[in-house]
Amino acid sequence: ISATGYTIYYGEDAQNLTNTVSVSASTYSRTINGLNNGTTYFFAIRANKSATTQSELSNQRSQVPGNDQ
């Protein structure tokens, strides 16, 4: 789909990404504040074409804040 924006899903449980951040289609990076150092977080992204049309959720990526990778 031709994306008008993206939704970033994240959380501490890979099976339950309860937090979201929306960004515009022209966004190439996004800092998410308030994460705890040393805690593993899982992230996935979904492209939005409209309020009701979205792509499938991407593959997940995990990251631990405070660990430079």
Side-chain angles (χ1 to χ4, degrees):
I1 67 175
S2 230
T4 58
Y6 299 93
T7 304
I8 302 168
Y9 295 82
Y10 67 98
E12 296 178 35
D13 180 351
Q15 303 303 315
N16 193 21
L17 303 178
T18 57
N19 303 295
T20 61
V21 175
S22 295
V23 297
S24 70
S26 62
T27 300
Y28 293 97
S29 67
R30 176 67 157 90
T31 299
I32 299 176
N33 296 312
L35 303 180
N36 297 314
N37 286 344
T39 301
T40 301
Y41 291 90
F42 299 88
F43 298 86
I45 299 173
R46 187 182 306 253
N48 305 315
K49 183 173 182 179
S50 69
T52 58
T53 305
Q54 299 176 319
S55 71
E56 294 294 322
L57 203 57
S58 71
N59 292 333
Q60 288 187 4
R61 162 93 180 163
S62 64
Q63 186 65 42
V64 179
N67 289 354
D68 295 331
Q69 295 180 2

